[in-house]
Amino acid sequence: LQVVGVECSRRAIARFAAEQGLELVQGDGGAAEAGVTTWSVGPCTVCECDWFDAVPKALGGTFDLAYDAAALTAVDPALRGDYVGVLSKLLRPSAHVLLLAAEFDEGACDPAALALGPHSLGLEEVRTLFSGFDVEVVEEEVEEPPAEGGEYNKLRG
């Protein structure tokens, strides 16, 4: 099993290694010409680069599985199609994508808090973005807002 990740922040890569208790070792620079710095983090390879510059050659090929832990929700909604385009080029034809995303009422949120994401991502938009995929909801969780005076209000001050 080959595990490859893409991250634009060296600090986030180092934090991942520390959280997992793994040694962080810079790669040999083989992908440097593509603007990618590779890092070995235990059994994983993490490619430090801008997602929109990620190409199969720089990442070591194409993949059978992609796991998106809410990265798509962090992307400016106007760039989501481009994001999925990059992802599609990194996947083999029979690949699967596991996507974690939240749908919520952005109008009920402070616009300043949403400026850099996350942004709401509903099922219909997922179906549109991933039109070449069979989209299946694996799990759906509905969170109720806390009652008046609950933890949310305590944290907001």
Side-chain angles (χ1 to χ4, degrees), residues 7 12 19 27 30-31 38 42 47 49 63 72 80 85 91 94 101 103 116 138:
E7 175 57 60
E19 288 171 354
T38 59
C47 298
C49 65
F63 303 91
L72 183 55
R80 286 179 174 166
L91 298 174
S94 60
E103 181 175 17
L116 298 176
V138 176

Side-chain angles (χ1 to χ4, degrees), residues 4-59:
V4 177
V6 176
E7 175 57 60
C8 65
S9 167
R10 186 169 294 185
R11 181 172 290 162
I13 296 168
R15 184 177 32 228
F16 169 72
E19 288 171 354
Q20 301 304 313
L22 298 169
E23 183 180 7
L24 179 63
V25 178
Q26 188 167 355
D28 63 8
E33 73 279 354
V36 176
T37 301
T38 59
W39 298 90
S40 294
V41 184
C44 305
T45 300
V46 180
C47 298
E48 179 186 350
C49 65
D50 184 311
W51 170 258
F52 295 101
D53 295 334
V55 294
K57 181 180 178 187
L59 273 59

Side-chain angles (χ1 to χ4, degrees), residues 22-141:
L22 298 169
E23 183 180 7
L24 179 63
V25 178
Q26 188 167 355
D28 63 8
E33 73 279 354
V36 176
T37 301
T38 59
W39 298 90
S40 294
V41 184
C44 305
T45 300
V46 180
C47 298
E48 179 186 350
C49 65
D50 184 311
W51 170 258
F52 295 101
D53 295 334
V55 294
K57 181 180 178 187
L59 273 59
T62 55
F63 303 91
D64 294 313
L65 176 67
Y67 173 60
D68 181 325
L72 183 55
T73 64
V75 172
D76 180 328
L79 297 175
R80 286 179 174 166
D82 295 337
Y83 176 98
V84 173
V86 170
L87 179 61
S88 296
K89 290 177 184 173
L90 296 173
L91 298 174
R92 294 184 183 115
S94 60
H96 297 276
V97 177
L98 178 58
L99 170 69
L100 303 181
E103 181 175 17
F104 56 93
D105 179 7
E106 288 196 31
C109 300
D110 177 3
L114 292 176
L116 298 176
H119 301 282
S120 179
L121 179 59
L123 181 57
E124 288 310 309
E125 185 176 359
V126 170
R127 289 187 195 285
T128 300
L129 289 167
F130 290 91
S131 61
F133 291 78
D134 292 324
V135 176
E136 174 186 350
V137 176
V138 176
E139 183 177 326
E140 191 169 5
E141 186 177 308

